[in-house]
Amino acid sequence: MKKKSLLWISALLLILAGCSSSDDDITDYGLHDEENGQNFLIPLYSSNDLSYNYKTHVETLDNWNVCIDDEGRYRWATLYDKGDPIEKLYAAPSSYEELDGTLFNLDDDHSLKLDSVEHYTDSEEGYSHRQDFYHEYYRGIPVLGGQYSFLYFYNPQEQHIHHCSGYFISFDNLDVTPAITGNQAIKIFSAYLEKPIETSWTATLYAREYHVRVEGETFRREQRLVYYITGPAIKATTYMGSWPCEIDSNESAEIDAHTGQIIYVGMKHFIPF
């Protein structure tokens, strides 16, 4: 343990020695909080502390069948099923804005921005299919894991939503002004890994909500402004059923943009939401 601590200190000294501007200075971040005895280079949470397995149930809301998780949030909603009268589809909303206040709440702070559109060639009752994918933003900052998709039935005269799914997160006055830069966050991750920074490393600012285990199956919400760091490329092993499968991934981390604390470290493809 003492040897590893010395290696951390050495790595930090090398990084700091190469700094040429205040933007690159991490003197106040990634070190020790002497008052609380905390080492910010030690990740705050492990995969055992975080969960994305929400309990859900399905209920009827007006004409919609909706799936609601144990946090009271709508995960998906479907309207038109085989055998339902076509009039039910005709009464469906023609845009996602008409669902505001029902499945999610849009305001000056929370918004959905179109990311991509896919078209389908099959049709039903004279309608073609289109799926619009949206990403959630909070005060102009993208929300990590916040996204919604809307499946439309449409023809040249009209369009109606048939199905929507996703995860919309409501934030409670989260400060979206970072106290450190993306470069500083990358240097903190470099010191943690004890690896030199490569040009392929990236840092993206996100609003983030964690589902943190309190005890047993009891969890609490925790909202932070974070840098999501994509670091070194690695080979990772996952499983297709019981068969191991090697994939290309990256060593990644989430770092608090206000304190410099490493929140979570894992592989890019397995970050829990």
Side-chain angles (χ1 to χ4, degrees), residues 13-273:
L13 289 174
L14 286 172
I15 291 169
L16 294 173
C19 294
S20 57
S21 68
S22 59
D23 181 64
D24 290 330
D25 186 12
I26 62 166
T27 303
D28 296 327
Y29 302 98
L31 298 174
H32 294 270
D33 182 346
E34 298 295 344
E35 181 177 350
N36 298 308
Q38 184 178 11
N39 185 342
F40 280 15
L41 283 178
I42 299 176
L44 189 60
Y45 300 125
S46 71
S47 58
N48 291 327
D49 299 316
L50 305 177
S51 173
Y52 55 91
N53 294 319
Y54 295 84
K55 296 178 181 178
T56 61
H57 67 279
V58 178
E59 62 182 56
T60 301
L61 180 68
D62 296 328
N63 286 326
W64 296 83
N65 296 317
V66 296
C67 176
I68 303 176
D69 67 21
D70 54 356
E71 298 284 342
R73 300 176 183 182
Y74 298 99
R75 306 308 295 261
W76 57 258
T78 185
L79 175 73
Y80 182 75
D81 296 318
K82 297 286 187 180
D84 282 345
I86 192 65
E87 289 79 10
K88 192 175 180 181
L89 174 62
Y90 290 155
S94 60
S95 69
Y96 77 85
E97 287 92 347
E98 294 180 45
L99 295 172
D100 182 20
T102 303
L103 301 184
F104 41 77
N105 293 299
L106 303 176
D107 54 27
D108 291 340
D109 290 334
H110 300 82
S111 62
L112 292 172
K113 295 184 181 181
L114 185 64
D115 183 59
S116 62
V117 177
E118 294 181 2
H119 292 271
Y120 299 85
T121 56
D122 59 328
S123 62
E124 184 170 331
E125 303 289 351
Y127 282 82
S128 297
H129 296 179
R130 186 187 82 242
Q131 192 160 14
D132 296 353
F133 297 89
Y134 285 79
H135 200 104
E136 182 188 352
Y137 284 76
Y138 174 71
R139 295 180 176 176
I141 302 296
V143 175
L144 192 60
Q147 52 198 4
Y148 243 98
S149 68
F150 301 88
L151 178 63
Y152 289 87
F153 283 179
Y154 74 98
N155 60 32
Q157 288 76 41
E158 58 187 338
Q159 67 176 19
H160 298 282
I161 296 176
H162 163 259
H163 180 92
C164 55
S165 62
Y167 187 41
F168 189 89
I169 303 171
S170 295
F171 287 87
D172 184 19
N173 200 31
L174 177 67
D175 181 2
V176 296
T177 302
I180 64 173
T181 67
N183 285 340
Q184 289 170 334
I186 287 176
K187 288 180 180 295
I188 291 170
F189 191 37
S190 172
Y192 167 80
L193 293 177
E194 302 174 18
K195 293 181 179 180
I197 298 171
E198 301 173 11
T199 56
S200 61
W201 293 26
T202 61
T204 306
L205 191 64
Y206 284 102
R208 171 73 148 112
E209 181 175 89
Y210 297 93
H211 203 221
V212 183
R213 188 184 305 277
V214 177
E215 183 178 357
E217 293 303 311
T218 303
F219 294 85
R220 62 177 171 82
R221 297 180 189 176
E222 182 177 294
Q223 298 181 339
R224 293 173 180 262
L225 184 71
V226 302
Y227 283 106
Y228 176 62
I229 310 297
T230 300
I234 58 173
K235 293 289 185 181
T237 300
T238 185
Y239 286 85
M240 300 293 291
S242 59
W243 296 94
C245 177
E246 190 175 73
I247 63 172
D248 293 323
S249 187
N250 296 82
E251 292 187 87
S252 303
E254 295 170 25
I255 294 176
D256 192 303
H258 294 135
T259 66
Q261 167 76 61
I262 297 178
I263 306 299
Y264 179 82
V265 172
M267 289 180 291
K268 179 181 178 181
H269 291 83
F270 302 101
I271 295 289
F273 294 106

